Amino acid sequence: MAESKLVIEGGHPLRGELTVQGAKNSVLPLLSAAVLCDGDIVLERCPALSDVYAASRILTHLGCRCRLTQGRMEIRNTGITCTEIPETMMHEMRSSITFLGPLLSRSGSCTLYLPGGCELGPRPIDMHLHALRQMGAEIHESHGMLQVQGRLRGAELHLPFPSVGATENIILAAVLARGQTRIHNAAREPEIRDLADFLNACGARVSGAGTDTVFVQGVDRLQGCTYRVMPDRIAAATYLAAAAATGGSVCVQDCCPGDLTAVTEVFRQMGCRVYSHENRIYLQSSLPLHAAPYIRTMPHPGFPTDAQALLMAAHCKARGSCMFEETIFDSRYRHADDLIRMGADIRLSGRAAVVHGVQRLSGTTVHATDLRGGAALLIAGLSAEGITELTELSHLDRGYENPEHVLRSLGAKIERIT
Ligand code: EPZ
């Protein structure tokens, strides 16, 4: 896509309702899971994101046929005809490492490449590789290349940290492995539950997903099915944060309020009125917001690291000070520099960041550094005085489907200029 930018005129409270997109962090492992299934797989509410297109290109490279039209991803798997994922494809998207488990399970040997670091710091996969070795994989690493072979068998596994990707990779490796696999200290994110629900709909036997112990009984084969992807809880948090920061009132439809309780609690601490009912969250904001005293990112059900940048943006003009502690990633404050250029008062010290609320933010030209950092600058632009221009939109387009359309439907003054 030619270099484009978002031009935002701040100061307009967001009002109205939106239906949130399908979850990026669920549909990506579901696309990896398609490697394991015979026949046709249909994923409904599949968001049109660059990461989704990158994953579907990998599936096509492996021998599947993929087509995404109007939110419906159709995949036909008549057999895996290639067992190597080229380095360029692996580097397009960090989470492509979740193709390792299913590809090894399906083909018995495969070659991939280390996904490499990203804007959030190094993205090690030691936990993925250690678990797969315990399941019988022989993994040879050299110059960033992974040559893997072996017939996978069930194992008793203990994760040192509840890694989302490692939990997903292990489940994907275990569903067709011989015997039983138990994952202790598994990640409890809702996306793990969605993956297990999809796999079970294809004939797998996964239980305990969403708790810290996941159990998988290996089966012989999986048959493709039609499955509706869960709603994107971080996209929902993004639009709620934009409503909060602009003093608006927004209803997010078709979402799972239970997946966002740690985030909606912070909005309440900031003085917003937040109601949840069935699959809707309604937020009514009044300015100035009050700073929540403390936000510490934790594995689910703690405060999600992906919402840290969003709530930092919402705190820039809040009365008082908020202390952030980012415990999941090494460097996830890169959005702070441009927020400071807009007039925010943010002090960084390692994994801690303190935001002192200021009276106003001023629009200027800012650059997205990563996906959620870009969303934070978008939120700041909506609540700033004057015009903000946001560039490096490729980061934003990885995880948000038509954000300018969604925001314009809520009354924002925002244009994408190519
Ligand atoms: C997933 O990344 C998400 N990505 C991330 O969302 C999210 O921030 C993260 O989980 C935490 O919730 C997808 O689902 C595609 P982890 P993942 O393995 O699986 C370390 C976004 O904005 N670690 O739980 O990579 C790792 O370095 C993205 O949508 C190891 O040390 O997260 C990190 O510090 C960003 N060794 C921590 O654990 C390993 O083998 C959490 O990583 C694996 C992870």
Side-chain angles (χ1 to χ4, degrees), residues 24-26 28-29 51 93-95 97-98 118 120-129 161-168 187 189 191 233-234 298-300 304-306 327-330 332 351 370-372 398-399:
K24 165 181 92 78
N25 291 349
S26 174
L28 291 178
D51 270 5
M93 188 185 61
R94 308 291 158 225
S95 56
I97 194 60
T98 52
C118 76
L120 307 182
R123 298 296 285 273
I125 57 169
D126 52 302
M127 295 181 213
H128 299 241
L129 302 185
F161 177 85
S163 154
V164 172
T167 303
E168 290 165 348
E189 272 69 6
E191 291 75 18
R233 58 197 173 99
I234 305 301
M298 289 293 280
H300 195 78
T305 173
D306 293 346
T327 71
I328 308 293
F329 285 104
D330 291 334
R332 199 163 195 179
R351 293 202 166 207
D370 58 87
L371 167 57
R372 308 303 174 184
R398 283 188 43 219

Side-chain angles (χ1 to χ4, degrees), residues 64-134:
C64 299
R65 287 225 296 279
C66 300
R67 190 167 60 136
L68 175 56
T69 42
Q70 259 84 39
R72 193 180 150 84
M73 174 69 85
E74 296 172 355
I75 303 161
R76 172 156 295 176
N77 184 343
T78 53
I80 295 300
T81 56
C82 170
T83 62
E84 170 163 357
I85 301 179
E87 191 162 18
T88 49
M89 287 187 162
M90 290 293 293
H91 283 189
E92 260 192 333
M93 188 185 61
R94 308 291 158 225
S95 56
S96 46
I97 194 60
T98 52
F99 277 97
L100 171 55
L103 194 50
L104 175 61
S105 168
R106 192 77 199 253
S107 62
S109 77
C110 58
T111 303
L112 287 81
Y113 294 83
L114 290 174
C118 76
E119 313 81 13
L120 307 182
R123 298 296 285 273
I125 57 169
D126 52 302
M127 295 181 213
H128 299 241
L129 302 185
H130 182 67
L132 290 174
R133 284 186 169 113
Q134 288 179 274

Side-chain angles (χ1 to χ4, degrees), residues 317-368:
K317 289 176 25 182
R319 285 275 169 78
S321 305
C322 180
M323 166 90 166
F324 286 81
E325 191 183 359
E326 171 55 62
T327 71
I328 308 293
F329 285 104
D330 291 334
S331 78
R332 199 163 195 179
Y333 288 131
R334 297 183 56 198
H335 44 280
D337 288 348
D338 271 355
L339 289 173
I340 292 166
R341 286 182 57 245
M342 295 177 75
D345 178 352
I346 303 172
R347 320 278 169 91
L348 299 180
S349 167
R351 293 202 166 207
V354 179
V355 181
H356 299 286
V358 295
Q359 289 293 332
R360 66 181 58 77
L361 294 178
S362 308
T364 182
T365 299
V366 290
H367 314 282

Side-chain angles (χ1 to χ4, degrees), residues 190 232-238 240 252 255-267 281 300 304 307:
D232 193 313
R233 58 197 173 99
I234 305 301
T238 305
L240 290 170
V252 177
C255 66
C256 298
D259 292 344
L260 272 174
T261 50
V263 177
T264 47
E265 174 53 30
V266 171
F267 287 129
I281 298 178
H300 195 78

Side-chain angles (χ1 to χ4, degrees), residues 135-343:
M135 296 174 75
E138 292 162 43
I139 303 174
H140 181 66
E141 283 180 65
S142 69
H143 308 299
M145 179 163 71
L146 292 173
Q147 288 171 300
V148 193
Q149 62 179 10
R151 186 141 171 60
L152 292 171
R153 58 179 184 277
E156 196 81 20
L157 304 167
H158 293 260
L159 286 177
F161 177 85
S163 154
V164 172
T167 303
E168 290 165 348
N169 229 339
I170 295 165
I171 292 172
L172 290 166
V175 287
L176 293 181
R178 272 174 295 124
Q180 303 178 342
T181 298
R182 202 183 305 274
I183 311 168
H184 297 277
N185 196 26
R188 299 160 60 186
E189 272 69 6
E191 291 75 18
I192 308 285
R193 222 176 35 230
D194 216 30
L195 175 62
D197 290 348
F198 168 74
L199 290 168
N200 288 339
C202 296
R205 294 174 60 187
V206 183
S207 55
T211 75
D212 61 3
T213 305
V214 177
F215 178 75
V216 182
Q217 171 64 51
V219 296
D220 294 334
R221 62 189 296 277
L222 297 180
Q223 181 60 40
C225 72
T226 295
Y227 188 78
R228 184 167 172 74
V229 178
M230 67 180 272
D232 193 313
R233 58 197 173 99
I234 305 301
T238 305
Y239 296 115
L240 290 170
T246 55
S249 58
V250 161
C251 179
V252 177
Q253 315 260 33
D254 214 355
C255 66
C256 298
D259 292 344
L260 272 174
T261 50
V263 177
T264 47
E265 174 53 30
V266 171
F267 287 129
R268 286 196 184 91
Q269 290 176 10
M270 298 180 78
C272 296
R273 295 170 66 183
V274 185
Y275 310 108
S276 304
H277 180 65
E278 289 169 358
N279 63 351
R280 285 191 301 280
I281 298 178
Y282 178 70
L283 179 143
Q284 187 167 12
S285 166
S286 59
L287 298 181
L289 295 171
H290 305 282
Y294 188 56
I295 292 178
R296 182 175 193 228
T297 64
M298 289 293 280
H300 195 78
F303 188 92
T305 173
D306 293 346
Q308 175 258 111
L310 314 175
L311 269 291
M312 182 175 281
H315 267 91
C316 288
K317 289 176 25 182
R319 285 275 169 78
S321 305
C322 180
M323 166 90 166
F324 286 81
E325 191 183 359
E326 171 55 62
T327 71
I328 308 293
F329 285 104
D330 291 334
S331 78
R332 199 163 195 179
Y333 288 131
R334 297 183 56 198
H335 44 280
D337 288 348
D338 271 355
L339 289 173
I340 292 166
R341 286 182 57 245
M342 295 177 75

